[in-house]
C-alpha cells in the first residue's frame, strides 16, 4: 500500500545523500528531473524479510537548488529504508529516461539492503520496444537504500603509512580468503569480520606483505544472465553503490542486521591497521551495473541518465562503451565527477582506507573520447588535499579506440599496473627468444615507461598474476584455459597457449613434473620480489592455489575460487615468506630512483663468463642468462630521509635455460667475497654455503636464480 504524506521541510542541499541528525534526516539528490519523491519503506527491507513493495510512504521533495533536490523529514533516523522516484521526460533518443514507476537507489546510499529480482519489472522500457516507457512497478524487485549513522569508535592504534618503495601488495577477495578457513569461526567465514579475524591477520603478517588490495567491495549486483545459469558476479566488478560496502560480505547482514556492514567494514579496517597492514580498494568508476541501453534501471540511469553516462552523440539512446560492460561513466559531467570524488574522500575519511586501485582507469580521463593526462579528474585528484595523499594505482588500459593501452602515461602521483612487466617476465621464463634486454629493463623499474616526468621506479606495480587470469600454479600447469564451468563453451577468457614445457597438463603425481612446475613458480616469484618497483602478489599464489585451469573465474563463487586451506603447498609458502623477508631486509632491492647515467656503476649487467654485456649480446635472440650486480651503497641525497643507504652488494644470477649453466664471478668491488644467499631451484630457497671470489664458478640450475651477497664493511666505504 502506498500513501503520500505532506512535503518534506526545506532541509539542505549539502551534503548529498541521507544525513541523519537530531530529530530527523536530511535527503539530497542531484538530478535534472522535473519532480522527485522520496519513498520510505516499512516492509521487509529492515528486518531481513522479503521485500514485497508494500508499506511505501512517499514524500515530495519540493526544494531545488543548483540541480539538487532536497528536504528534511522529521522522525526518520538510522535504519530507515528508502528510495527515489523521478518524474520527467521519457525520450531515449535525447538521452532522457525518467520513469516514476521505477524505484531507484540513492547514488550516495551508505548501505544497501535486498537483492535485484531480474525481470521486465526492472526495465524502464518495454521489453518489446526499447523506446517505449514501461509502466510496470519495480519496487518489489529492487533493493533499498538505508539511512546510516557512520560514526565508529576507532582504536587509537597508529595508522600504517608505507612508502611505495617499502610496499608489497597482496591482491585478495574478501570472501574467498576466509570462506573455508578452518580457524575462522563459521559465522564469520567469507566476511569483513572474517578478514579482520586473528587467523586471517596472522597469515598476512606472517607472509610479510604490507598492503592488502581488496577486490571490489562497493555494493554490486550480478549481470542478469548469471543467476539464470546459477552463477553470480563473484569478483564484484559490477557496482551499483559507490558509498556502500557490499552487503554480501557482512556477517552482520547474515545475522539479520541490515546496515551492519558499515561498522563491520570499519572494524575490519581497524583490525588490519592494528596488524600494520594498509588497505587499498579496487574501485570501478568506469561503468555501473545498469549495463547497456537494454539493461535494468536501478539507480543512475533513472536519476539522471545524461549526467552519469557518456551518451553516443550519434544516437543518444545508446552509450559510449570503453569498458566492454555496456556503459561508461561520464567523468566530464560535474555531478558524476563530484560523486566519484565524494566517494573517494568518504572511503578515506569515514572508512579510513589507505588508497585505491582504479579499474580500467583511462575511461576516467576520456572527456572528449581520447585519453587526456590533463583531464578534470586528474586535476581534481592532484588538487584534493585528502585524495592526493592516498595510494593511487591505475589499471592503465580499457577498451577505448586507438589509445586504450595507456601504460606510462599517467600523471606523477599515480602508480600503474605494469602489463609490460607481466608479459615480459612470463615470456622470458617460458623461453621466448629476444627478451634479455626487455627483462633487464623491467627488472630495473621500467625506465623506458617511467623514467621521465619526475616519476620513480615505484610508478611500476610489478605483477605476474592477478585475479583476471591464471593463478601462478595454473600458469605452469595448463597449456590452455578450462572455463567450461562459466557456461560460455570455454570461449570466454584470454587464449594463451604458453608452451611452458612443464610436462603433463593439469593435476599430476609425477614428481619430475611437479618439481619443474615448482621451479618455474619460484623463479617468477623471485624475479617479482627482487625487481625495482612495487611488487604485487596474487593472494593464494603463495599457497599453490589452483582454479583448475579457469582463467576467467569472475562468476565462480565456491571452492574453485576460495582459498583451499586444507591443501596448502607448505614448501612454497615457506619459500615465499623467506623471499618477502629477504626483500624487506635489503633496501638495495627497494631503491626509489632509477640507476642510469652517472649511476650506472651501481647497477651492472654481466654475461655468464663475467664480462660486461655488450649491445650485440643484448640483441642476441638466443640470450637467456645474465648476472645482475647491485651496489649496496647509495648517495645521501638520493637515500631515504637523506641518510646514507648502506646495504651489502648483491649478484643475481639469472638462468632461463632448460639446463644448468655455469657462471663466473665478475670483478666488482676490490677483494669482494660472495656468499650464496638464495637459490630458487631449491624448494626452501636456501642456498648451499660457500665463499666465492672473482673468477670462481657458480652453477645455476635450469630456470632458476641464485642470489649472492657480498658483505660491505665500513672500511671499504671509507676507502
Amino acid at each position: 500500500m502506498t500513501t503520500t504524506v505532506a512535503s518534506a521541510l526545506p532541509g539542505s542541499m549539502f551534503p548529498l545523500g541521507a544525513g541523519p541528525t537530531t530529530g530527523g534526516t536530511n535527503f539530497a539528490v542531484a538530478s535534472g528531473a522535473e519532480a522527485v519523491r522520496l519513498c520510505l519503506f516499512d516492509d521487509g527491507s529492515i528486518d531481513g524479510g522479503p521485500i514485497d513493495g508494500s508499506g511505501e510512504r512517499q514524500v515530495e521533495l519540493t526544494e531545488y537548488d543548483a540541480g539538487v533536490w532536497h528536504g528534511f523529514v522529521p522522525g526518520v533516523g538510522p535504519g530507515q529504508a528508502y528510495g527515489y522516484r523521478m518524474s520527467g521526460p521519457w525520450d531515449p533518443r535525447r538521452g532522457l529516461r525518467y520513469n516514476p514507476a521505477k524505484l531507484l537507489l540513492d547514488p550516495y546510499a551508505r548501505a544497501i539492503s535486498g537483492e535485484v529480482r531480474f525481470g521486465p519489472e526492472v526495465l524502464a522500457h518495454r521489453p518489446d520496444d526499447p523506446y517505449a516507457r514501461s509502466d510496470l512497478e519495480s519496487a518489489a524487485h529492487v533493493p533499498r537504500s538505508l539511512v546510516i549513522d557512520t560514526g565508529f569508535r576507532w582504536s587509537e592504534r597508529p595508522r600504517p603509512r608505507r612508502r611505495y618503495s617499502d610496499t608489497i601488495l597482496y591482491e585478495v577477495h574478501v570472501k574467498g580468503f576466509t570462506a573455508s578457513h578452518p580457524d575462522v569461526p563459521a559465522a564469520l567465514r567469507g566476511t569483513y569480520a572474517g578478514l579482520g579475524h586473528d587467523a586471517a591477520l596472522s597469515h598476512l603478517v606472517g607472509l610479510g606483505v604490507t598492503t592488502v588490495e581488496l577486490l571490489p567491495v562497493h555494493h554490486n549486483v550480478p549481470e542478469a544472465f548469471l543467476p539464470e545459469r546459477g552463477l553470480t558476479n563473484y569478483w564484484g566488478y559490477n557496482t551499483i553503490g559507490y558509498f556502500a560496502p557490499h552487503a554480501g560480505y557482512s556477517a552482520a547482514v547474515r545475522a539479520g542486521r541490515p546496515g551492519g556492514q558499515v561498522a563491520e567494514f570499519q572494524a575490519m579496517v581497524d583490525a588490519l591497521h592494528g596488524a600494520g597492514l594498509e588497505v587499498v580498494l579496487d574501485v570501478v568508476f568506469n561503468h555501473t551495473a545498469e549495463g547497456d541501453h537494454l539493461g535494468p534501471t536501478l539507480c543512475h540511469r533513472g536519476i539522471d541518465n545524461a549526467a552519469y553516462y557518456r551518451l553516443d552523440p550519434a544516437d543518444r539512446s545508446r552509450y559510449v562503451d570503453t569498458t566492454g560492460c555496456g556503459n561508461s561513466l561520464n567523468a566530464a559531467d560535474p555531478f558524476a565527477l563530484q560523486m566519484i570524488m565524494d566517494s573517494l574522500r568518504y572511503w578515506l575519511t569515514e572508512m579510513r582506507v589507505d588508497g585505491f586501485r582504479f579499474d580500467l582507469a583511462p575511461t576516467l580521463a576520456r572527456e572528449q573520447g581520447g585519453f587526456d593526462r590533463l583531464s578534470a579528474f586528474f586535476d581534481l585528484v592532484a588538487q584534493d588535499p585528502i585524495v592526493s595523499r592516498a595510494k593511487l594505482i591505475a589499471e592503465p588500459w580499457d577498451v577505448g579506440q586507438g589509445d586504450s593501452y595507456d601504460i606510462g602515461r599517467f600523471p606523477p602521483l599515480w602508480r600503474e599496473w605494469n602489463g609490460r612487466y607481466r608479459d615480459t617476465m612470463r615470456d622470458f621464463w617460458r623461453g621466448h627468444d629476444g627478451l634479455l634486454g626487455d627483462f633487464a629493463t623491467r627488472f630495473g623499474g621500467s625506465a623506458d615507461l617511467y623514467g621521465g616526468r619526475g616519476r620513480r621506479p615505484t610508478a611500476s606495480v610489478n605483477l605476474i598474476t592477478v585475479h583476471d587470469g591464471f593463478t601462478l600454479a595454473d600458469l605452469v600447469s595448463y597449456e590452455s584455459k578450462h572455463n567450461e564451468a562459466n557456461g560460455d563453451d570455454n570461449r570466454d577468457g584470454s587464449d594463451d597457449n604458453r608452451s611452458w614445457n612443464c610436462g603433463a597438463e593439469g593435476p599430476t603425481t609425477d614428481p619430475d613434473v611437479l618439481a619443474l612446475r615448482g621451479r618455474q613458480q619460484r623463479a617468477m616469484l623471485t624475479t617479482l620480489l627482487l625487481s625495482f618497483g612495487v611488487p604485487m602478489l596474487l593472494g593464494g599464489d603463495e599457497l599453490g592455489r589452483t582454479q583448475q585451469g579457469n582463467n576467467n573465474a569472475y562468476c565462480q563463487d565456491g571452492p574453485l575460487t576460495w582459498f583451499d586451506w586444507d591443501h596448502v603447498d607448505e614448501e612454497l609458502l615457506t619459500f615465499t615468506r623467506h623471499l618477502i623477508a629477504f626483500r624487506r631486509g635489503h633496501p638495495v632491492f627497494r631503491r626509489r630512483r632509477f640507476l642510469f647515467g652517472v649511476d650506472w656503476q651501481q647497477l651492472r649487467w654481466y654475461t655468464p663468463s663475467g664480462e660486461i654485456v655488450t649491445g650485440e649480446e643484448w640483441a642476441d635472440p638466443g640470450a637467456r642468462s645474465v648476472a645482475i650486480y647491485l651496489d649496496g651503497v647509495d648517495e645521501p641525497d638520493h637515500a631515504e630521509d637523506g641518510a646514507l643507504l648502506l646495504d651489502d652488494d648483491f649478484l643475481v644470477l639469472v638462468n632461463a635455460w632448460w639446463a644448468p649453466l655455469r657462471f663466473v664471478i665478475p670483478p666488482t668491488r676490490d677483494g669482494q667475497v660472495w656468499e650464496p644467499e638464495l637459490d630458487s631451484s631449491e624448494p626452501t630457497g636456501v642456498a648451499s654455503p660457500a665463499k666465492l671470489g672473482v673468477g670462481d664458478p657458480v652453477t645455476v640450475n635450469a630456470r632458476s636464480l641464485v642470489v649472492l651477497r657480498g658483505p660491505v664493511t665500513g672500511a671499504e666505504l671509507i676507502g
Side-chain angles (χ1 to χ4, degrees):
M1 178 178 179
T2 300
T3 60
T4 301
V5 299
S7 301
L9 299 176
S12 172
M13 62 182 292
F14 299 112
L16 293 173
T21 61
T22 302
T25 297
N26 188 79
F27 294 88
V29 59
S31 173
E34 294 176 349
V36 176
R37 288 193 176 189
L38 169 69
C39 305
L40 304 175
F41 291 88
D42 298 317
D43 58 9
S45 313
I46 300 296
D47 60 16
I51 295 175
D52 59 12
S54 64
E56 177 179 342
R57 294 185 296 131
Q58 295 184 356
V59 181
E60 293 278 359
L61 299 185
T62 58
E63 297 295 315
Y64 187 64
D65 293 297
V68 176
W69 293 91
H70 56 90
F72 182 84
V73 183
V76 169
Q80 174 67 57
Y82 72 100
Y84 288 110
R85 295 182 186 274
M86 301 290 176
S87 296
W90 171 267
D91 189 351
R93 289 180 175 84
R94 292 195 295 139
L96 302 172
R97 294 178 176 269
Y98 298 108
N99 186 339
K102 307 305 167 182
L103 182 72
L104 306 172
L105 290 167
D106 181 354
Y108 278 67
R110 268 42 174 184
I112 294 172
S113 177
E115 306 289 338
V116 177
R117 293 162 54 189
F118 289 103
E121 295 83 359
V122 301
L123 303 178
H125 62 276
R126 284 175 22 194
D128 60 343
D129 185 352
Y131 298 104
R133 193 178 76 174
S134 167
D135 293 327
L136 293 178
E137 172 59 50
S138 72
H141 299 264
V142 295
R144 313 286 193 247
S145 307
L146 296 180
V147 177
I148 294 293
D149 180 358
T150 59
F152 179 78
R153 187 172 181 177
W154 296 88
S155 72
E156 298 303 318
R157 292 175 290 200
R159 186 168 173 173
R161 296 189 183 278
R162 305 282 187 175
R163 291 178 181 269
Y164 280 109
S165 56
D166 296 331
T167 297
I168 300 173
L169 293 163
Y170 185 82
E171 190 194 35
V172 68
H173 190 284
V174 168
K175 182 175 183 179
F177 185 55
T178 65
S180 61
H181 199 302
D183 297 327
V184 173
L188 305 184
R189 292 174 190 165
T191 70
Y192 303 120
L195 183 53
H197 189 270
D198 286 345
L201 298 177
S202 65
H203 176 76
L204 296 169
V205 173
L207 185 59
V209 296
T210 67
T211 308
V212 292
E213 182 176 304
L214 303 180
L215 266 69
V217 297
H218 289 164
H219 194 89
N220 58 80
V221 299
E223 295 86 347
F225 70 88
L226 288 174
E228 295 175 357
R229 300 179 181 178
L231 302 172
T232 191
N233 191 318
Y234 171 69
W235 286 348
Y237 289 91
N238 218 37
T239 303
I240 200 63
Y242 290 108
F243 294 78
H246 185 60
Y249 304 151
S250 171
V253 171
R254 285 185 191 171
R257 301 193 302 275
Q261 61 263 44
V262 178
E264 185 178 338
F265 183 93
Q266 291 169 312
M268 176 199 72
V269 172
D270 202 34
L272 287 164
H273 283 172
L277 296 160
E278 294 178 309
V279 180
V280 168
L281 304 186
D282 195 333
V283 291
V284 190
F285 289 114
N286 55 77
H287 75 281
T288 78
E290 292 182 302
D292 64 14
H293 63 292
L294 300 178
T297 292
L298 307 173
C299 180
H300 309 85
R301 194 197 312 274
I303 297 287
D304 197 323
N305 183 58
Y308 283 108
Y309 296 117
R310 289 182 60 198
L311 306 182
D312 185 343
D315 181 357
R316 290 178 65 81
S317 70
R318 296 175 182 263
Y319 300 101
V320 173
D321 181 10
T322 60
T323 67
C325 301
N327 63 59
S328 303
L329 274 182
N330 185 10
D333 184 88
F335 281 132
L337 193 55
Q338 180 183 350
M339 180 191 71
I340 294 170
M341 296 303 298
D342 286 348
S343 173
L344 295 176
R345 281 189 294 269
Y346 172 76
W347 288 94
L348 290 169
T349 56
E350 295 294 318
M351 309 301 268
R352 296 201 181 182
V353 303
D354 304 289
F356 307 96
R357 177 266 187 187
F358 292 79
D359 182 65
L360 303 181
T363 294
L364 289 165
R366 296 187 183 279
E367 293 179 18
Q368 305 301 323
F371 178 85
D372 185 1
R373 293 179 73 253
L374 302 178
S375 69
F377 172 69
F378 287 147
D379 285 346
L380 286 176
V381 167
Q383 296 171 26
D384 191 284
I386 295 173
V387 179
S388 64
R389 298 183 183 184
K391 278 186 162 67
L392 302 171
I393 302 169
E395 181 184 36
W397 50 80
D398 61 6
V399 293
Q401 296 180 348
D403 58 352
S404 61
Y405 199 69
D406 297 297
I407 190 168
R409 298 178 62 192
F410 279 71
L413 276 179
W414 290 75
R415 272 61 185 173
E416 303 174 18
W417 273 23
N418 191 340
R420 289 278 298 277
Y421 180 96
R422 173 200 59 207
D423 298 342
T424 294
M425 295 312 186
R426 286 188 178 190
D427 287 346
F428 179 79
W429 283 112
R430 66 181 173 185
H432 280 201
D433 290 342
L435 289 176
L436 187 63
D438 206 27
F439 170 90
T441 300
R442 304 299 147 229
F443 186 95
S446 296
D448 60 331
L449 300 175
Y450 308 113
R453 297 173 176 167
R455 305 185 77 180
R456 296 175 179 264
T458 52
S460 176
V461 174
N462 298 328
L463 51 100
I464 300 289
T465 54
V466 293
H467 69 277
D468 186 2
F470 292 99
T471 67
L472 185 62
D474 287 354
L475 189 67
V476 300
S477 301
Y478 291 87
E479 292 296 329
S480 58
K481 64 187 179 183
H482 290 273
N483 300 349
E484 292 83 1
N486 296 356
D488 287 314
D489 297 323
N490 205 34
R491 294 189 302 266
D492 62 306
S494 61
D495 292 305
D496 187 5
N497 297 316
R498 295 172 310 283
S499 299
W500 281 92
N501 299 315
C502 286
E505 177 166 289
T508 182
T509 57
D510 186 320
D512 292 333
V513 173
L514 292 174
L516 183 54
R517 290 177 180 178
R519 186 174 295 181
Q520 286 278 36
Q521 291 180 74
R522 294 191 298 274
M524 287 186 283
L525 285 171
T526 303
T527 304
L528 177 67
L529 268 299
L530 299 188
S531 297
F532 290 12
V534 179
M536 185 173 75
L537 181 68
L538 171 61
D541 276 355
E542 76 280 13
L543 308 177
R545 188 175 73 89
T546 177
Q547 292 177 171
Q548 300 174 26
N550 191 317
N551 74 351
N552 188 35
Y554 78 102
C555 57
Q556 300 295 329
D557 183 2
L560 185 72
T561 50
W562 298 349
F563 282 37
D564 185 355
W565 294 99
D566 292 329
H567 299 89
V568 171
D569 186 334
E570 294 290 352
E571 283 188 336
L572 185 60
L573 176 58
T574 299
F575 176 85
T576 309
R577 286 171 173 165
H578 173 61
L579 188 58
I580 291 175
F582 182 77
R583 178 184 177 89
R584 294 185 64 171
H586 293 288
V588 71
F589 296 104
R590 297 182 279 112
R591 275 200 165 98
R592 300 169 59 233
R593 62 190 178 92
F594 290 105
L595 298 181
F596 47 60
V598 297
D599 300 317
W600 72 270
Q601 290 284 349
Q602 295 181 6
L603 175 63
R604 281 177 267 168
W605 309 84
Y606 293 90
T607 66
S609 62
E611 304 294 329
I612 292 288
V613 180
T614 65
E616 182 178 348
E617 289 162 329
W618 283 125
D620 181 359
R624 293 183 173 87
S625 56
V626 69
I628 309 167
Y629 170 70
L630 293 163
D631 188 333
V633 183
D634 206 350
E635 298 297 328
D637 59 334
H638 293 303
E640 298 180 4
D641 302 322
L644 180 67
L645 172 62
L646 175 60
D647 197 358
D648 294 329
D649 291 349
F650 287 90
L651 271 175
V652 181
L653 312 180
V654 180
N655 176 23
W657 288 98
W658 45 84
L661 186 65
R662 180 178 180 270
F663 282 75
V664 173
I665 300 294
T668 53
R669 200 184 300 276
D670 290 343
Q672 186 92 68
V673 176
W674 296 97
E675 303 170 0
E677 186 78 13
L678 187 150
D679 184 348
S680 74
S681 71
E682 295 294 329
T684 62
V686 177
S688 301
K691 298 288 185 181
L692 304 166
V694 175
D696 286 342
V698 179
T699 297
V700 179
N701 286 322
R703 297 172 178 172
S704 300
L705 302 91
V706 168
V707 180
L708 307 177
R709 180 172 59 88
V712 177
T713 67
E716 289 173 309
L717 291 177
I718 295 173

